[in-house]
């Protein structure tokens, strides 16, 4: 009885052959799609690298971004073993998805190249290598905050990572080819150096204000490792490229408004020299032009990508004042969900 029922439930030979033919077609499409997917990743990576190199020749990028990055690294040249460079809020970064995201990712790669160049020129004394041991030891981190440290074997190390909740497998493939580690977990901007031997450079273009506040709060929370080094917060070891805090609408008793006097700002002045906004090729570069710039990107695209942005870091001249004021500051709690994350 069971064998008869089983036989009746089996599809006919014609249906089996038709199903097998469809499966073969699907397998053929998938086999064809994988090389195309890989080719698309390679094309986007080439485009990003080419645009990144072109950005390094643009006057405002050299003056307002790369120069502050070099100065920040130089100001800590005797005391750090690792630089962690992270990008948050870039979004999908192929040119077809977003021109702003594409240009922002290209600038991130230009910053990566600048850090690599600076670190190559910096010798690593033997005693400094030994001093980095605490970076791998367990550290005390406030709940909800990710402590960033070296995941590279060579010293001095540059660790580069990226996160965006809209990024997918395609963007992960691009990051892998670009030598960028893609974060798997959303920490809502709450990143801080693992210890005083690690520098954190955060590229946060057009990140929601709440997440930027999370970042600042994370680097002002008291930590045993930094208190032992005579520091109250971790802002001394962080550099932020993101929304200019001074451009926010002022709020009553707002934490970030209170913090502004203790920071040093270097605004990105995106206007091209001569006032011509038609084409990036007319930007004043090292040789009077910007060689290698991809076609189809205008100054309007550049303005949308980098407008109202600034390089922000602790004003070391007012660090003592901030240390005194910090116990009186009411640090807001970290926001890790809800509609406030988008504001």
């Amino acid at each position: 009885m069971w064998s008869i029922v089983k036989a009746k439930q089996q599809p006919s030979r014609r249906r089996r052959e038709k199903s097998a033919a469809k499966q073969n077609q699907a397998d053929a499409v998938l086999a064809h799609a994988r090389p195309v997917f890989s080719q698309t990743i390679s094309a986007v990576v080439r485009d990003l690298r080419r645009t990144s190199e072109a950005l390094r020749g643009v006057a405002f990028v050299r003056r307002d971004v790369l120069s502050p990055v070099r100065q920040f690294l130089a100001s800590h040249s005797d005391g750090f073993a690792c630089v962690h460079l992270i990008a948050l809020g870039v979004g999908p970064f192929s040119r077809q998805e977003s021109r702003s995201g594409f240009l922002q990712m290209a600038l991130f790669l230009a910053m990566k190249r600048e850090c690599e160049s600076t670190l190559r020129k910096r010798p690593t004394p033997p005693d400094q290598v030994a001093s980095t041991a605490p970076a791998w030891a367990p550290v005390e981190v406030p709940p909800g905050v990710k402590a960033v440290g070296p995941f590279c074997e060579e010293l001095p190390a540059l660790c580069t990572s990226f996160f965006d909740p809209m990024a997918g497998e395609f963007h992960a493939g691009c990051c892998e080819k670009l030598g960028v580690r893609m974060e798997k977990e959303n920490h809502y901007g709450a990143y801080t150096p693992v210890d005083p031997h690690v520098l954190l450079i955060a590229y946060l273009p057009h990140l929601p204000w709440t997440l930027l506040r999370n970042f600042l709060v994370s680097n002002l929370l008291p930590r045993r490792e930094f208190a032992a080094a005579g520091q109250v917060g971790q802002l001394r070891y962080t550099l932020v490229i993101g929304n200019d805090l001074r451009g926010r609408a002022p709020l009553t008793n707002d934490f970030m408004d209170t913090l502004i006097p203790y920071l040093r700002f270097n605004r990105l002045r995106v206007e091209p020299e001569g006032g011509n906004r038609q084409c990036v090729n007319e930007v004043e570069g090292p040789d009077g032009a910007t060689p290698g710039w991809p076609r189809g990107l205008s100054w309007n695209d550049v303005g949308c990508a980098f407008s109202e942005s600034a390089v922000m870091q602790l004003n070391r001249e007012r660090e003592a004042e901030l240390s005194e004021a910090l116990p009186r500051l009411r640090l807001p709690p970290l926001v890790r969900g809800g509609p406030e994350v988008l504001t």
Side-chain angles (χ1 to χ4, degrees), residues 37 87-88 148 152 166 192 206 218 223 249 275 307:
F37 187 71
L88 306 173
V148 296
C152 309
M166 297 179 64
T192 186
H206 299 171
S218 300
R223 293 264 305 283
S307 62

Side-chain angles (χ1 to χ4, degrees), residues 167-220:
E169 183 182 353
F170 170 78
H171 307 96
C174 292
C175 285
E176 183 178 1
K177 282 185 172 291
L178 291 167
V180 176
R181 180 179 181 179
M182 189 159 167
E183 299 271 337
K184 297 180 180 180
E185 185 178 351
N186 190 352
H187 294 279
Y188 299 93
Y191 290 83
T192 186
V194 69
D195 66 30
H197 301 295
V198 177
L199 302 181
L200 174 58
I201 301 177
Y203 181 43
L204 317 174
H206 299 171
L207 196 72
W209 291 115
T210 300
L211 301 188
L212 179 56
R213 187 183 69 191
N214 277 354
F215 180 87
L216 295 171
V217 169
S218 300
N219 287 285
L220 284 172

